Amino acid sequence: MSDYKHPHQDAEFVLNELVGFDDLCAANGFDDINFELASAILTEAGKLGSEVLAPLNVIGDNQGVKLTERGVEETAGFKEAYQQFAEGGWSSLIADEEYEGQGLPNVLCTAVNEIWQSANMAFALCPLLTQGAVEAIAHHGSEELKQTYLPKMVSGEWTGTMNLTEPDAGTDLAAIKTRAIPNGDHYLITGQKIFITWGDHQMTDNTIHLVLARLPDAPAGVKGISLFVVPKFLLDAEGNPGVRNDVKCVSVEHKLGIHASPTCVMSYGDKEGAIGYLVGEANKGLAYMFTMMNCARQGVGLQGVAIAERSYQQALDYAKERLQGTNKDGSRFAIIKFPDVRRMLMQMKSATEAMRALAFVGAAEVDRAGRAQDEADQRRHQARLELLTPIVKGWITELSQEITYLGTQVNGGMGFIEETGSAQHYRDARILTIYEGTTGIQALDLVGRKTLLNKGEALAELLAEIEETVVALSKHEGFAEQGAALREALEAGNNARNWLLENAAQDPAAAGAVSVHFMMLFGYLCGGWLMGQSALRAQTLLDAGEGDPEYLKAKLVTAQFFSEHLLPRTKASLETILKGSASIMALSEDQF
Amino acid sequence: MSDYKHPHQDAEFVLNELVGFDDLCAANGFDDINFELASAILTEAGKLGSEVLAPLNVIGDNQGVKLTERGVEETAGFKEAYQQFAEGGWSSLIADEEYEGQGLPNVLCTAVNEIWQSANMAFALCPLLTQGAVEAIAHHGSEELKQTYLPKMVSGEWTGTMNLTEPDAGTDLAAIKTRAIPNGDHYLITGQKIFITWGDHQMTDNTIHLVLARLPDAPAGVKGISLFVVPKFLLDAEGNPGVRNDVKCVSVEHKLGIHASPTCVMSYGDKEGAIGYLVGEANKGLAYMFTMMNCARQGVGLQGVAIAERSYQQALDYAKERLQGTNKDGSRFAIIKFPDVRRMLMQMKSATEAMRALAFVGAAEVDRAGRAQDEADQRRHQARLELLTPIVKGWITELSQEITYLGTQVNGGMGFIEETGSAQHYRDARILTIYEGTTGIQALDLVGRKTLLNKGEALAELLAEIEETVVALSKHEGFAEQGAALREALEAGNNARNWLLENAAQDPAAAGAVSVHFMMLFGYLCGGWLMGQSALRAQTLLDAGEGDPEYLKAKLVTAQFFSEHLLPRTKASLETILKGSASIMALSEDQF
């Protein structure tokens, strides 16, 4: 089991130097918010994460959850931790003040969320899902639904869930079969949903389910899906939980990781039908889901940063403590002295910093797009947000697999032993490239909706911006090599974009076949871009005698490492992209 | 849970076309053995693997093992399966006829072993470790030790273990503390050993431990380690198990994977000292271990092939069955139609074939080096064996992580659910880059003993041989692109070799810092070399109208895929190698 300490210097460096937090607040109407406040919030969150949530992480992994007659029983200690979390106001950071939220910028909430996800990913999924449900109701629900449900969800008194998947409808939501029958002022919902995260528990006295279902006269496919609010307990006249609704968890999955997060099979309407309330208009459920997708997907990308950071901290502790080399005089030294162990730790550190940079920069676009003062600005930021989201989700979560793998590898034989703690991070991380849209889905989104649909415009703007960093690096004597490396990666990005625009129309399989390499290429390129910016900022601060010189000098090294060890992957990706779909599609199904 | 079917066509293709099995047998004194016999043996092994061992794989994962008063109780059903295995003569394939073995070529035993490791890796570790113990006694033990122990270990009546690691002595065996005190015709052993695979169980009526320990007057460090035979039950006058020796398993580890393989903490000499018998000469224990290292490490490399194959088969079944796309007419299709799912399956298939090719080619060098008819031949094959071993172990097991990862990814959400079976393969695979020398140790072996020590001679010979394949591919119109790609990879290999020879002396951290990239580069290069040869052989057979055309045409595609999608990684590796150790070693320990 490993301790956790929030890497506040790096989080604050990214907020200040890459996001421009104070400017973002000033330009987007966050009038009372500034970096000083943000830093204080992060410090407090760091304490709760380290002291309360992190120690429960291994307990949750060992004990998991169980389904009893009462429903799902969460891990012992989680209820008390959740109450502390809610009472501290941590569930209300992002929500509108209208619903008793604190209205903080998304990028700050993202920085805070990293702490929860590092400390205890299984726990932190519960408020993350609740936040998604709050957004759905806030954006699309009637005034009555909002007033009825939001304040208590925002305060953390109730939690929320998202019910999309069914046994035959995963990625392909067109196949949803759950039915909703109109019945007076409400609907009766019948059907089964699977993979429902925190679908049931005893931590709060109500859970508000958001459920996709079909009305009787709904068109086939994705255009016939509606969204409903289905509370676990129906509310009485005072708005308090009363009679139990006809919905329950019928089983929990036995999973590879995140054992403390109950993944439920939910059954709606075993008796008379679960009472639900339509959100917004009929048949627009999937569109409503799409409006929340950027935040949800970026949230999972952030989990990749968080689990990589936790795994890195564990591996680093082990590498400093484990004596396994013998000096000539017979004394022993720790394995961190070995160059290959260093290589692994540097890979973990450098990649995690790049991932954090991209996650926060992507999160800031949510603020900028949502609050832009003029239309051109809004369009520009919305396009960037849409473009970055699949990269944040896809690239970061894929890279987090490698980082948590290296975390166990640094531990040697102990890495395979569960008590060491590293294996849990490795197992927990494994869900990240799967849920909230697999890597393949992110990649398809990037090549399709985010690139081909706008003829590569959004990507061209990003590439032009990256070029500015190339120029700035190249001008600076100390960063000429990094500038050259970023330029080569940029060329790879340009070539990949051009290839896709030229070939997608001729070959229907081309975009899908190259998509994951395409997404990974742009992930590494964005990482190199932001690490290049980081190096320039760190040098400026060092030259000015500002900031912590040890931290800033280390940043120069992690940026150099990224440029030397991770950026070259863009060229290998490009090479496979240029080969197109031929060898991927050549076999008949029987030849596999 | 997934079925397993031995990919006999591919195994036989590699044996025939890449290894040249009949020529190998003829040239190395395996007089009664030919491909026809080999094929029959593989068919029989395939049946036992599919029908008996594979169904126990998931049961072993779920039930694991437990330590009771009797000692370690293996998973229910394993004892019967083990008896079937031993009675079928499967434990005696490789051993000398002198000890009632069958004396089959190592490369054939390797092909058979793939079946056991695919079917049930946790189970198959038991005979694999026994084989190591048999080799140690056969090569270094006295005639009396051989006659006493080998026949029953070869027949499978008894199993064997290897006891090297101690809590403070993992990679660094210099730190071994276990003591051996002379006491008449035997020694009394006292100490604790950890990570002892199949250290105890109830499947057989004796277990023969091979134990590294220090004599009282032994020199410090690695030159003071001796090797002992320590039976679980001492033998009576008739050579049958009698009195219990003073050795027992005191706990079993709770591991990420291979749950059915007991990983034991073994305690020697809690009472009067465990009775042990010296193998060979005093203080030569570590040297004896090194003589077995090639086979042991290649054996783990083979496990990488095996688990990748099993994971591929599971993913392929799922991809063909899982309906998750909707046609315009509302009918549904399986996910194997999606280009990105194809990409993952092709990556799995192509990589696994390349891994198998290298594993078998490496295994054949054991036969050729061990039985060469003249000294020059012997030296040449021994050098190649030594060179290939860390690549077989290091590259294959690293790549097996990616393949089993993709296996779970193809399963989408179901990949994270334990019942699906894919997650077990992913977890089981995780040990492979750790035990029998981590990836870092393999890589250090490759750059150090296998390259710098002979001034790059062995590598130069391999590179020259690869060039022949480049030339053959380039001459053939249909393979010109593959030839060009292999040539570029070959150049990367040459450049990496030259860089290492030039830089290792100046910078003491250089070899270690670049070692893993160096090893991975040569792994992909060897894979490309053997897949290139495979393509040429497949085309020749197709042109001649021989063999199964569907299989051979598929081989052309997997070779092309390897060339397009995996070979480019050599260039990214080279690029990082050329950067040396600077950014890897720059941080102080406090800056991490």
Side-chain angles (χ1 to χ4, degrees):
Chain A
M1 185 199 138
S2 70
D3 291 336
Y4 166 69
K5 192 166 170 295
H6 176 232
H8 69 99
Q9 275 189 307
D10 201 58
E12 295 186 2
F13 178 89
V14 175
L15 284 179
N16 261 331
E17 306 300 331
L18 301 182
V19 168
F21 185 76
D22 279 341
D23 289 349
L24 179 145
C25 290
N28 293 287
F30 294 105
D31 294 333
D32 305 328
I33 300 162
N34 58 28
F35 178 71
E36 203 179 331
L37 175 68
S39 177
I41 290 173
L42 287 170
T43 301
E44 284 309 305
K47 285 182 198 161
L48 184 68
S50 297
E51 294 165 15
V52 177
L53 303 184
L56 284 170
N57 192 44
V58 67
I59 298 170
D61 186 55
N62 287 337
Q63 298 186 359
V65 300
K66 54 178 184 288
L67 184 60
T68 68
E69 284 185 10
R70 288 179 71 196
V72 175
E73 311 261 0
E74 69 280 349
T75 305
F78 271 47
K79 182 170 187 163
E80 294 71 21
Y82 182 82
Q83 279 165 352
Q84 223 174 315
F85 182 87
E87 281 162 14
W90 297 108
S91 62
S92 65
L93 296 189
I94 200 168
D96 268 7
E97 291 169 52
E98 198 181 338
Y99 310 112
E100 296 171 39
Q102 300 177 51
L104 295 178
N106 180 62
V107 69
L108 175 56
C109 298
T110 296
V112 172
N113 192 18
E114 183 195 324
I115 297 171
W116 316 139
Q117 303 295 344
S118 274
N120 196 325
M121 201 166 95
F123 174 92
L125 275 162
C126 187
L128 191 70
L129 269 289
T130 302
Q131 186 184 316
V134 165
E135 277 179 50
I137 297 173
H139 287 149
H140 306 294
S142 64
E143 204 47 44
E144 190 189 343
L145 278 183
K146 292 187 209 177
Q147 295 306 337
T148 306
Y149 293 100
L150 290 186
K152 291 192 175 175
M153 294 174 78
V154 167
S155 71
E157 200 170 333
W158 299 343
T159 63
T161 72
M162 308 297 285
N163 292 241
L164 285 72
T165 307
E166 298 178 6
D168 288 328
T171 296
D172 185 12
L173 290 169
I176 278 179
K177 291 193 189 115
T178 296
R179 315 291 303 176
I181 313 286
N183 189 31
D185 71 339
H186 60 261
Y187 294 79
L188 292 174
I189 315 278
T190 314
Q192 194 182 69
K193 294 288 180 177
I194 63 169
F195 294 162
I196 308 310
T197 299
W198 283 96
D200 195 34
H201 59 84
Q202 312 303 321
M203 300 198 299
T204 56
D205 60 6
N206 210 357
T207 297
I208 311 306
H209 304 293
L210 283 171
V211 183
L212 290 182
R214 284 185 187 286
L215 292 169
D217 57 352
V222 293
K223 289 181 180 162
I225 297 171
S226 304
L227 180 63
F228 299 87
V229 163
V230 184
K232 175 177 173 183
F233 291 99
L234 297 167
L235 304 187
D236 64 17
E238 284 76 46
N240 294 317
V243 179
R244 180 73 194 243
N245 202 351
D246 185 12
V247 47
K248 66 173 184 204
C249 171
V250 292
S251 73
V252 291
E253 304 290 355
H254 171 217
K255 306 191 301 293
L256 176 58
I258 50 170
H259 292 162
S261 165
T263 302
C264 301
V265 177
M266 300 298 294
S267 184
Y268 290 83
D270 281 353
K271 299 169 196 159
E272 68 283 4
I275 290 174
Y277 307 97
L278 183 66
V279 177
E281 291 175 40
N283 299 329
K284 296 208 166 162
L286 213 64
Y288 295 163
M289 283 290 149
F290 268 96
T291 62
M292 293 180 300
M293 199 168 278
N294 288 322
C295 281
R297 291 183 167 179
Q298 288 204 8
V300 176
L302 183 75
Q303 291 186 307
V305 179
I307 198 85
E309 173 66 36
R310 183 83 190 256
S311 179
Y312 168 68
Q313 292 190 18
Q314 191 280 339
L316 179 60
D317 286 351
Y318 187 83
K320 286 183 172 178
E321 282 165 19
R322 172 70 172 164
L323 304 177
Q324 199 60 195
T326 305
N327 293 309
K328 282 189 183 151
D329 66 1
S331 65
R332 309 194 81 197
F333 57 85
I335 61 171
I336 193 171
K337 303 266 188 225
F338 289 113
D340 186 56
V341 173
R342 289 245 168 183
R343 176 192 63 84
M344 292 191 277
L345 292 172
M346 282 302 298
Q347 185 112 336
M348 296 179 82
K349 181 173 170 62
S350 173
T352 304
E353 288 179 11
M355 289 149 71
R356 178 177 296 114
L358 182 62
F360 288 13
V361 163
E365 293 298 330
V366 174
D367 295 310
R368 294 193 170 104
R371 297 213 180 202
Q373 305 298 310
D374 69 71
E375 211 177 309
D377 245 27
Q378 199 282 332
R379 265 205 307 270
R380 193 162 54 85
H381 287 299
Q382 186 66 32
R384 177 62 56 86
L385 167 62
E386 302 273 345
L387 180 69
L388 289 183
T389 295
I391 304 175
V392 167
K393 203 287 184 179
W395 176 68
I396 291 178
T397 63
E398 284 288 336
L399 194 47
S400 76
Q401 308 302 312
E402 178 178 340
I403 303 311
T404 53
Y405 169 78
L406 289 173
T408 57
Q409 192 69 13
V410 168
N411 285 264
M414 296 307 295
F416 200 63
I417 307 298
E418 287 287 1
E419 282 77 2
T420 314
S422 184
Q424 183 191 349
H425 307 319
Y426 182 66
R427 288 188 284 98
D428 285 355
R430 187 64 193 87
I431 189 59
L432 301 179
T433 62
I434 297 173
Y435 65 15
E436 206 52 51
T438 63
T439 298
I441 294 300
Q442 305 305 319
L444 215 52
D445 182 42
L446 178 64
V447 295
R449 296 169 64 92
K450 308 301 171 63
T451 302
L452 292 169
L453 202 62
N454 61 45
K455 299 194 172 63
E457 191 86 6
L459 217 41
E461 278 182 30
L462 177 68
L463 290 162
E465 201 169 325
I466 295 173
E467 173 119 40
E468 293 170 20
T469 302
V470 169
V471 171
L473 286 165
S474 306
K475 269 190 207 157
H476 199 301
E477 203 185 335
F479 301 116
E481 280 189 37
Q482 283 183 52
L486 187 61
R487 184 180 299 284
E488 286 186 52
L490 179 66
E491 276 165 24
N494 272 309
N495 289 340
R497 172 183 171 277
N498 296 341
W499 185 93
L500 181 70
L501 293 173
E502 281 160 24
N503 287 273
Q506 283 128 261
D507 173 9
V514 307
S515 59
V516 168
H517 286 294
F518 192 90
M519 192 230 8
M520 294 304 285
L521 188 162
F522 280 96
Y524 288 112
L525 177 56
C526 287
W529 168 50
L530 296 173
M531 291 302 275
Q533 283 187 38
S534 299
L536 290 166
R537 293 299 306 148
Q539 190 62 56
T540 302
L541 290 168
L542 281 165
D543 292 345
E546 290 172 27
D548 172 0
E550 286 307 300
Y551 168 78
L552 294 169
K553 284 186 213 157
K555 181 63 88 178
L556 295 180
V557 176
T558 53
Q560 186 193 341
F561 183 93
F562 194 95
S563 166
E564 293 179 356
H565 289 259
L566 289 151
L567 262 189
R569 296 182 182 183
T570 52
K571 285 184 264 181
S573 294
L574 175 65
E575 225 178 294
T576 71
I577 290 166
L578 299 181
K579 301 295 181 187
S581 71
S583 68
I584 293 171
M585 302 304 288
L587 292 190
S588 71
E589 285 180 28
D590 290 338
Q591 281 178 310
F592 273 96
Chain B
M1 185 198 137
S2 70
D3 292 336
Y4 166 69
K5 193 166 171 294
H6 176 232
H8 69 98
Q9 274 190 307
D10 201 58
E12 295 187 1
F13 179 88
V14 175
L15 284 178
N16 262 331
E17 307 300 331
L18 301 183
V19 168
F21 185 76
D22 279 341
D23 289 349
L24 179 145
C25 291
N28 293 287
F30 295 105
D31 295 332
D32 305 329
I33 299 160
N34 57 29
F35 178 73
E36 204 178 331
L37 176 67
S39 178
I41 290 172
L42 287 170
T43 301
E44 284 309 305
K47 284 182 199 160
L48 185 68
S50 296
E51 293 165 15
V52 177
L53 302 184
L56 284 170
N57 192 45
V58 66
I59 297 169
D61 186 56
N62 287 338
Q63 298 186 0
V65 299
K66 53 177 182 289
L67 184 60
T68 69
E69 284 184 10
R70 289 177 70 195
V72 176
E73 311 261 359
E74 69 281 349
T75 305
F78 271 45
K79 181 171 188 163
E80 295 71 21
Y82 183 82
Q83 280 166 351
Q84 224 175 315
F85 182 87
E87 281 162 14
W90 296 109
S91 61
S92 66
L93 294 189
I94 201 170
D96 268 8
E97 291 169 53
E98 199 181 337
Y99 311 111
E100 297 172 38
Q102 301 176 50
L104 295 179
N106 179 63
V107 67
L108 175 55
C109 297
T110 297
V112 172
N113 192 18
E114 183 195 324
I115 295 171
W116 316 140
Q117 303 296 344
S118 274
N120 194 326
M121 202 166 93
F123 175 93
L125 275 162
C126 188
L128 191 69
L129 269 289
T130 302
Q131 185 184 318
V134 165
E135 275 179 52
I137 298 173
H139 287 148
H140 306 293
S142 65
E143 203 46 46
E144 192 189 341
L145 277 183
K146 291 186 207 175
Q147 295 305 337
T148 308
Y149 293 100
L150 289 186
K152 289 193 177 173
M153 292 174 79
V154 167
S155 71
E157 201 171 329
W158 299 342
T159 63
T161 72
M162 306 298 283
N163 293 241
L164 286 72
T165 307
E166 298 177 8
D168 287 328
T171 294
D172 185 11
L173 289 169
I176 278 179
K177 292 193 189 112
T178 296
R179 315 292 303 176
I181 314 287
N183 189 33
D185 71 337
H186 60 261
Y187 294 79
L188 293 175
I189 316 277
T190 315
Q192 195 181 69
K193 294 287 180 178
I194 62 169
F195 294 162
I196 309 309
T197 299
W198 282 98
D200 194 36
H201 59 83
Q202 311 303 321
M203 300 197 300
T204 57
D205 60 8
N206 210 356
T207 297
I208 312 305
H209 304 292
L210 283 170
V211 182
L212 290 181
R214 285 184 186 285
L215 293 168
D217 57 352
V222 293
K223 289 179 181 163
I225 298 170
S226 304
L227 181 64
F228 299 86
V229 163
V230 184
K232 176 178 173 181
F233 291 99
L234 298 167
L235 304 188
D236 64 18
E238 284 76 46
N240 294 317
V243 178
R244 180 73 195 241
N245 202 353
D246 186 12
V247 48
K248 66 173 185 205
C249 170
V250 292
S251 73
V252 291
E253 305 290 356
H254 172 215
K255 305 190 303 294
L256 177 58
I258 49 169
H259 292 162
S261 165
T263 300
C264 300
V265 177
M266 300 298 294
S267 184
Y268 290 85
D270 280 353
K271 300 170 196 158
E272 67 284 3
I275 291 176
Y277 307 97
L278 182 66
V279 178
E281 293 174 39
N283 299 329
K284 295 207 166 164
L286 213 63
Y288 296 163
M289 282 290 149
F290 268 96
T291 62
M292 293 179 303
M293 200 169 277
N294 288 322
C295 282
R297 290 183 167 179
Q298 287 204 9
V300 176
L302 184 76
Q303 290 186 308
V305 180
I307 198 84
E309 174 66 36
R310 183 82 190 257
S311 179
Y312 168 68
Q313 292 190 17
Q314 190 280 339
L316 179 61
D317 285 351
Y318 187 82
K320 285 183 173 178
E321 282 166 18
R322 171 70 173 164
L323 304 177
Q324 198 61 196
T326 305
N327 293 308
K328 283 191 182 148
D329 67 0
S331 65
R332 309 193 81 197
F333 58 85
I335 61 171
I336 195 172
K337 303 266 188 224
F338 289 112
D340 185 56
V341 172
R342 289 244 168 185
R343 175 191 64 85
M344 293 192 277
L345 291 173
M346 281 302 299
Q347 184 112 336
M348 297 180 81
K349 181 175 170 63
S350 173
T352 304
E353 289 179 9
M355 290 150 72
R356 178 177 295 113
L358 182 62
F360 288 13
V361 163
E365 293 299 330
V366 174
D367 295 312
R368 294 194 170 105
R371 300 214 178 201
Q373 305 296 309
D374 70 71
E375 212 178 308
D377 245 28
Q378 200 281 332
R379 265 206 307 272
R380 194 163 53 85
H381 287 298
Q382 187 66 32
R384 177 62 56 85
L385 167 61
E386 302 274 345
L387 180 69
L388 289 183
T389 296
I391 304 175
V392 167
K393 202 285 184 181
W395 175 69
I396 290 178
T397 63
E398 284 288 335
L399 194 48
S400 77
Q401 308 302 312
E402 179 178 339
I403 303 310
T404 53
Y405 169 78
L406 289 173
T408 56
Q409 193 68 13
V410 168
N411 284 263
M414 295 308 294
F416 200 64
I417 306 298
E418 288 287 0
E419 282 77 2
T420 313
S422 184
Q424 183 190 349
H425 307 319
Y426 181 66
R427 287 187 286 99
D428 285 354
R430 187 65 194 84
I431 189 59
L432 300 179
T433 62
I434 296 173
Y435 65 15
E436 206 52 51
T438 62
T439 297
I441 294 301
Q442 306 306 319
L444 215 51
D445 183 42
L446 179 63
V447 294
R449 296 170 66 93
K450 309 301 169 63
T451 301
L452 292 170
L453 202 62
N454 61 45
K455 300 194 172 63
E457 191 88 2
L459 217 40
E461 279 183 31
L462 177 67
L463 289 162
E465 201 169 325
I466 295 174
E467 174 119 40
E468 293 170 22
T469 302
V470 170
V471 171
L473 285 165
S474 306
K475 270 190 207 157
H476 201 299
E477 202 185 339
F479 301 116
E481 280 189 35
Q482 282 183 53
L486 187 60
R487 184 179 299 283
E488 286 186 52
L490 179 66
E491 277 166 22
N494 272 309
N495 290 339
R497 173 183 170 277
N498 297 341
W499 185 92
L500 181 70
L501 293 173
E502 282 161 24
N503 288 273
Q506 284 129 262
D507 172 9
V514 307
S515 60
V516 168
H517 286 295
F518 192 90
M519 190 222 27
M520 294 303 286
L521 188 162
F522 281 95
Y524 287 112
L525 176 56
C526 287
W529 167 48
L530 296 173
M531 291 301 276
Q533 284 186 38
S534 298
L536 289 165
R537 294 298 308 149
Q539 190 62 57
T540 303
L541 291 169
L542 281 166
D543 291 345
E546 289 171 28
D548 172 0
E550 286 307 301
Y551 167 78
L552 295 168
K553 284 186 214 158
K555 182 62 89 177
L556 296 179
V557 175
T558 53
Q560 185 193 342
F561 183 93
F562 194 95
S563 166
E564 293 179 355
H565 289 259
L566 289 151
L567 263 188
R569 296 181 182 184
T570 53
K571 285 184 267 180
S573 294
L574 176 64
E575 225 179 296
T576 71
I577 290 167
L578 299 180
K579 301 295 182 186
S581 70
S583 68
I584 293 171
M585 302 304 287
L587 291 191
S588 71
E589 285 180 28
D590 289 340
Q591 280 179 310
F592 273 96

